[in-house]
Amino acid sequence: MALNARLDHRNPLVFDTHELGRRPGALQRLTRTVDAPKDFGIKEVIGVPEGAPVELELRLESVLEGVLVTGTARAAAEGECVRCLEPLQLDVEAEFQEMFSYPDADDRGRVIAEPGDDAEDDEDRLFLEDGLFDLEPVLRDAVVLALPMQPVCQEDCPGLCAECGARLADDPDHHHDAVDIRWAALQGLADTMSDGEKDEMSGAEPGVDEKQEK
């Protein structure tokens, strides 16, 4: 993987490792609250709203190849119940661990891979740039994995009525009388016959006004 594009130290998700140093075994713990970036979650399903607070707890450890970052992110996600379509909110906690390599890691004792050897792994490597690293891509992946693909407002949500769309949780006794469609036509015929009998009992010919007869 190519080195990261020029990083901006003013970005709240960009961290500086200069204070940590490059002595293997050195540790640094950080806490930071940042604003959630745009599209932070599973698109059109559930996610952390842009600008919402995300609490970070990080552990930075200097190792031979670079800086090993271990952390936890906590935030409130918003979405829609897949069963009843009601808005919902849930607390999400995502854990992650990632190695950010020194650009000169191979010069510091790392075994250089043969051409084509572990090529895919090499493409996925993340690098430090001038002692800085960008946590956003790692954080995005961790949050997506921590979010439910099919969020529900409650585990036993009964969903919506298949006939009228009413939310069943609001009316546990909600039901519709079952009508056998095979009898629907007969019921219509019976209604027609009943109307005809009423006309006969009235003694009036169909289409004749009683006032005209008088």
Side-chain angles (χ1 to χ4, degrees):
M1 176 179 175
L3 296 182
N4 293 327
R6 193 73 180 175
L7 299 181
D8 184 354
H9 69 277
R10 295 169 297 182
N11 184 330
L13 286 173
V14 170
F15 292 80
D16 191 336
T17 66
H18 285 99
E19 185 177 337
L20 177 67
R22 296 182 64 161
R23 180 174 58 83
L27 295 174
Q28 183 180 13
R29 296 183 184 277
L30 300 173
T31 58
R32 182 181 294 183
T33 299
V34 301
D35 292 340
K38 186 179 180 180
D39 299 327
F40 197 46
I42 305 173
K43 190 175 182 181
E44 298 182 355
V45 178
I46 189 169
V48 181
E50 182 178 3
V54 180
E55 297 178 1
L56 300 175
E57 293 183 4
L58 303 178
R59 179 179 183 269
L60 280 54
E61 180 180 1
S62 178
V63 297
L64 186 62
E65 292 183 23
V67 175
L68 180 64
V69 179
T70 305
T72 302
R74 298 181 180 86
E78 296 180 359
E80 186 178 82
C81 178
V82 296
R83 296 179 188 171
C84 69
L85 308 182
E86 286 293 304
L88 61 82
Q89 184 178 86
L90 59 84
D91 294 330
V92 57
E93 180 173 302
E95 297 182 349
F96 51 88
Q97 185 175 73
E98 187 66 47
M99 168 70 76
F100 290 88
S101 300
Y102 295 122
D104 59 345
D106 290 340
D107 297 330
R108 303 182 68 251
R110 181 177 182 270
V111 177
I112 301 176
E114 295 295 330
D117 184 22
D118 295 332
E120 293 184 2
D121 292 341
D122 208 45
E123 290 179 358
D124 292 336
R125 292 176 64 199
L126 298 176
F127 290 88
L128 292 166
E129 180 186 313
D130 296 331
L132 304 175
F133 68 86
D134 184 3
L135 189 65
E136 183 173 337
V138 176
L139 191 57
R140 282 186 178 278
D141 290 345
V143 169
V144 167
L145 290 175
L147 290 170
M149 291 295 296
Q150 294 187 318
V152 292
C153 58
Q154 55 189 33
E155 290 298 327
D156 58 349
C157 174
L160 302 176
C161 174
E163 294 191 35
C164 68
R167 186 168 183 264
L168 299 178
D170 296 333
D171 183 8
D173 297 326
H174 180 87
H175 72 282
H176 295 271
D177 293 332
V179 177
D180 192 329
I181 60 174
R182 293 173 298 181
W183 294 99
L186 293 177
Q187 182 62 46
L189 179 60
D191 292 341
T192 301
M193 293 178 64
S194 296
D195 292 340
E197 291 175 355
K198 291 179 180 179
D199 291 339
E200 292 177 0
M201 292 179 64
S202 67
E205 295 182 6
V208 179
D209 193 325
E210 293 183 359
K211 293 182 178 180
Q212 293 179 353
E213 290 182 351
K214 293 180 180 179

